[in-house]
Amino acid sequence: MKMLITGGAGFIGSNFARYMVKKYPEHEFTVFDKLTYAGNLENILEIRDKQNYKFVRGDVCDLNFLTYILKDTDVVFHLAAESHVDNSIGNSLEFTKTNAYGTHVLMEAAHLNKAAHLNKIKRFIHVSTDEVYGDITEGSFKEDAKLVPNNPYSASKAAAEMIVRGYYTTYKLPIIITRGNNVYGPHQYPEKIISRFICNLILDRKVPLHGEGKNIRTYIYVDDVSTALDAVFNKGEIGEIYNIGTHDEISNLELTKMLINKLGKTEDYILHVPDRPFNDRRYSLDLSKINSLGWKQETGFEQGIDKAIEWYKRNVTWWLKLLNHNGL
Ligand SMILES: NC(=O)c1ccc[n+]([C@@H]2O[C@H](COP(=O)([O-])OP(=O)(O)OC[C@H]3O[C@@H](n4cnc5c(N)ncnc54)[C@H](O)[C@@H]3O)[C@@H](O)[C@H]2O)c1
């Protein structure tokens, strides 16, 4: 089969591409990516010489090009997005364009090919986020919970889901949606809390913590996201939604203290910065549906954090130029 991975030069997409290209030599993979500031060909260097892999630079907002690409595609994994909440507070139009309109373009390209009997996509896996549910003080969200996005990023991801649902219902496109909690691990652009703080601490710099750091997040190691997407590809049911995550909950302050401790620093390295205008208090996902597909978490939080720290220590050249280039 011919598989397309949009956003495959980014953090999660590249991990997934490396995993799938090696696991399925019988399938052909195309990584499709615009290479924004967050896309990096170094993330997919490891598979560059594989016979079943190719890279195409392109924009998910380009309908003509995508209609052409999807003519020769069986399965789509759609990960391309603007993904950093802080950037969406200030530059949100770009988020709506890539996340909502870009997803719409992919849907329309798949629909046009189907309507013209040029090609029928067999499976379209749309990668969304737990942030579409909004926050929850106690308990966990099941997949049928109401969507209450609270920031421009999550609003654009929720908008994308609505468009996807429209094409599933009206045009019977074979869509599955995943909603994941916060992901961390090697190759994450040094802008999100774990990657950024590890890099700062390695450089002996302070770490900018939003407000008092009371907000709670749940984390999943990036390798576990790839195995979950693979489980959804193999066993997920068309038209269904699957939460992907763990129960590794930690407040931003506790996480910061953990990283500081592991990197041999003191709490003097915490720099309290103003909080976001609105910051979801807690996210939590019910995982029974993804577990029923036989998927389970392999990497515990402590182990994953150690692996991530080790990777950032060994790959300073990968992230230092990104920090310098973007004045982080
Ligand atoms: N990182 C997380 O914690 C997390 C959690 C849940 C869901 N997600 C979702 O997973 C997906 C991947 O997230 P990530 O953390 O790897 O993001 P990322 O920012 O690291 O990568 C995004 C990739 O998309 C590409 N891209 C951006 N705009 C594009 C466009 N117009 N056309 C083609 N490519 C474009 C970028 O070049 C980059 O390679 C996103 O859809 C995100 O919403 C992420």
Side-chain angles (χ1 to χ4, degrees):
M1 279 198 288
K2 294 181 177 171
M3 320 268 199
L4 186 76
I5 304 175
T6 73
F11 165 49
I12 304 170
S14 65
N15 186 286
F16 183 61
R18 297 193 303 273
Y19 172 80
M20 295 292 277
V21 164
K22 286 186 242 163
K23 181 168 178 192
Y24 297 105
E26 71 276 26
H27 297 320
E28 290 172 35
F29 293 86
T30 300
V31 165
F32 182 94
D33 200 295
K34 185 179 174 182
L35 298 180
T36 65
Y37 78 97
N40 188 343
L41 287 178
E42 284 182 39
N43 292 347
I44 35 183
L45 258 187
E46 201 179 302
I47 48 173
R48 186 180 49 179
D49 297 327
K50 297 280 181 198
Q51 295 294 314
N52 62 334
Y53 157 80
K54 69 172 185 285
F55 176 79
V56 172
R57 188 169 191 178
D59 187 335
V60 288
C61 297
D62 185 342
L63 179 62
N64 281 336
F65 192 32
L66 274 169
T67 308
Y68 168 76
I69 295 275
L70 290 194
K71 236 185 272 175
D72 203 22
T73 300
D74 298 305
V75 178
V76 179
F77 297 94
H78 178 37
L79 291 94
E82 287 293 333
S83 70
H84 187 37
V85 176
D86 285 350
N87 290 345
S88 82
I89 302 168
N91 184 22
S92 52
L93 291 180
E94 199 57 40
F95 280 66
T96 303
K97 191 172 156 201
T98 299
N99 301 357
Y101 180 71
T103 301
H104 195 162
V105 165
L106 267 170
M107 293 287 107
E108 183 62 12
H111 162 61
L112 287 176
N113 281 329
K114 187 179 172 200
H117 303 289
L118 290 171
N119 186 33
K120 254 171 130 172
I121 298 287
K122 295 186 175 64
R123 227 156 233 252
F124 190 111
I125 292 152
H126 174 73
V127 177
S128 189
T129 168
D130 63 353
E131 296 199 26
V132 295
Y133 294 121
D135 60 1
I136 187 165
T137 325
E138 278 176 23
S140 303
F141 287 116
K142 283 189 185 265
E143 286 82 350
D144 58 2
K146 200 164 93 178
L147 303 194
V148 189
N150 286 321
N151 60 56
Y153 162 68
S154 52
S156 69
K157 294 294 287 186
E161 285 200 31
M162 294 301 116
I163 293 162
V164 163
R165 184 182 153 78
Y167 275 76
Y168 166 71
T169 312
T170 302
Y171 299 118
K172 310 284 175 279
L173 289 187
I175 293 153
I176 303 176
I177 294 175
T178 67
R179 295 184 184 139
N181 61 213
N182 283 30
V183 187
Y184 71 99
H187 296 273
Q188 185 167 36
Y189 194 88
E191 63 184 355
K192 312 257 163 72
I193 186 166
I194 294 181
S195 51
R196 172 85 190 272
F197 284 15
I198 292 174
C199 295
N200 275 21
L201 292 166
I202 292 174
L203 292 177
D204 202 34
R205 290 183 188 164
K206 291 193 176 193
V207 294
L209 181 64
H210 281 140
E212 293 175 44
K214 282 186 180 158
N215 308 63
I216 292 171
R217 299 290 182 260
T218 308
Y219 290 94
I220 180 169
Y221 190 68
V222 64
D223 288 358
D224 283 333
V225 178
S226 291
T227 57
L229 291 176
D230 187 23
V232 169
F233 159 62
N234 279 303
K235 299 178 199 154
E237 276 188 44
I238 303 294
E240 293 295 320
I241 299 169
Y242 295 89
N243 288 339
I244 292 178
T246 71
H247 293 299
D248 290 332
E249 276 186 31
I250 188 165
S251 73
N252 289 344
L253 181 62
E254 287 310 315
L255 171 63
T256 306
K257 286 183 182 169
M258 180 183 182
L259 294 173
I260 280 178
N261 186 33
K262 283 187 182 287
L263 283 141
K265 306 291 181 194
T266 65
E267 288 180 27
D268 295 339
Y269 280 75
I270 300 178
L271 177 68
H272 288 278
V273 296
D275 205 350
R276 291 172 181 158
F278 182 86
N279 204 342
D280 287 325
R281 282 155 301 174
R282 174 179 176 263
Y283 302 121
S284 180
L285 296 175
D286 182 287
L287 302 172
S288 26
K289 214 163 153 186
I290 185 78
N291 289 335
S292 75
L293 299 184
W295 176 84
K296 62 176 178 19
Q297 175 188 11
E298 290 292 337
T299 307
F301 190 55
E302 180 100 27
Q303 185 197 0
I305 289 288
D306 288 341
K307 281 164 89 167
I309 291 176
E310 190 55 29
W311 188 85
Y312 282 92
K313 278 184 176 168
R314 283 175 186 270
N315 291 278
V316 175
T317 51
W318 181 89
W319 54 265
L320 197 54
K321 54 180 178 279
L322 302 178
L323 280 183
N324 290 340
H325 187 248
N326 291 286
L328 287 167

